[in-house]
Amino acid sequence: MSPLEPGLYIVATPIGNLGDLSPRAADILSRADVIAVEDSRVTAGLLRHIGAKRPMVPYHDHNAEGVRPGLIARMATEAVALVSDAGTPLISDPGYKLVRDARAAGHAVVTIPGPCAAVAALTLAGLPTDRFLFLGFLPPKEKARADAIAEVAAVRATLVLYESGPRLGACLATLAAVLGDREAAVTREISKRFEEAVTGTLAMLADRYAEAPPKGEIVVVVAPPGEAPPASVEEGDAALAEALTRLPAAKAAGEVAKRLGLDRKALYARALAMKAGGSA
Ligand code: SAM
């Protein structure tokens, strides 16, 4: 087997079916002088699958600072491959500083593209793909998560985010509360035996997963805001005043938020103020 040119090789690996490993990725992994890995047990399994045995160096969030200079030095004379446990390195995974420093040191950087859960989810969701915004993992705490979602609520792009099964219900509920009731898809176990994409509105999906957290790996895809311009404060107030003649504050806020695509929490605060001020 001929040696590879020295430098850094970013190698995407399967997120499910091992058959998704490209022949070029298998070739690079078989010929690399060393492979920087997240978890050597995971990569050892992949190497077994392609009948290769290569030296591995752990490279993850907890040791990257210490290990990086050594890897950069080796790139002068050796082919260093970078993989993550699954999918494309650097995408919600370590690696960008390694690429940055490799370039700064004048080493060649080559990418071997392949599976990425975010892109695969977009191909399953049936939502617009012309503009999308990848959010990675949202913060686990409710307030920080709502703030992160509010920050991108007005962006006219499909949103793509990673989430864990146990947190899915709460995450969908926050998305519905902050974004209004957009279309969305929960994609799960992509490229594995139980691959599925469940579509519906955010509220429907939040309901579905509230009590039954799904197993496996998940990507949530959310449609962009609708074409209609957002309702004005005056329109929101008028609708809220009407709804308050029929409903308690929380329900009125929920109904108007859903109908006009406004923020439910803000409407609820407004409803309480209207009640206190006697304007409804
Ligand atoms: N770098 C990876 C990539 O290219 O997709 C992502 C790594 S990130 C640490 C892991 C997250 O990706 C999982 O928690 C899940 O949200 C998503 N993911 C990875 N594999 C998946 C799969 N087969 N199906 C659905 N989501 C997946």
Side-chain angles (χ1 to χ4, degrees), residues 120-161:
L122 277 166
T123 67
L124 286 173
L127 294 171
T129 53
D130 52 333
R131 294 186 84 204
F132 60 87
L133 178 61
F134 175 58
L135 301 175
F137 290 95
L138 292 176
K141 295 211 170 114
E142 164 66 23
K143 164 89 173 70
R145 182 166 59 214
D147 288 348
I149 298 167
E151 223 173 89
V152 298
V155 175
R156 307 202 75 77
T158 293
L159 304 177
V160 183
L161 51 113

Side-chain angles (χ1 to χ4, degrees), residues 187-256:
T187 63
R188 205 170 62 81
E189 295 290 90
I190 299 169
S191 187
K192 300 184 193 177
R193 181 152 174 231
F194 296 109
E195 173 178 297
E196 69 171 8
V198 179
T199 58
T201 65
L202 282 171
M204 282 164 52
L205 293 169
D207 242 24
R208 174 180 174 137
Y209 292 109
E211 302 300 331
K215 291 207 165 69
E217 299 196 277
I218 294 155
V219 184
V220 179
V221 185
V222 184
E227 288 309 313
S232 65
V233 174
E234 290 73 22
E235 284 171 306
D237 274 359
L240 202 51
E242 186 282 320
L244 282 170
T245 62
R246 300 179 281 111
L247 298 167
K251 286 211 161 122
E255 185 197 78
V256 175

Side-chain angles (χ1 to χ4, degrees), residues 87-181:
T88 300
L90 280 79
I91 308 301
S92 285
D93 268 332
Y96 91 86
K97 291 181 179 168
L98 194 64
V99 172
R100 179 195 62 190
D101 291 2
R103 285 198 185 292
H107 302 315
V109 179
V110 179
T111 190
I112 292 82
C116 174
V119 173
L122 277 166
T123 67
L124 286 173
L127 294 171
T129 53
D130 52 333
R131 294 186 84 204
F132 60 87
L133 178 61
F134 175 58
L135 301 175
F137 290 95
L138 292 176
K141 295 211 170 114
E142 164 66 23
K143 164 89 173 70
R145 182 166 59 214
D147 288 348
I149 298 167
E151 223 173 89
V152 298
V155 175
R156 307 202 75 77
T158 293
L159 304 177
V160 183
L161 51 113
Y162 290 160
E163 192 47 279
S164 72
R167 281 205 281 263
L168 180 65
C171 176
L172 289 166
T174 315
L175 284 164
V178 180
L179 299 179
D181 212 9

Side-chain angles (χ1 to χ4, degrees), residues 20 69 78 82 136 218 247:
D20 295 340
E78 292 180 295
L82 173 71
I218 294 155
L247 298 167

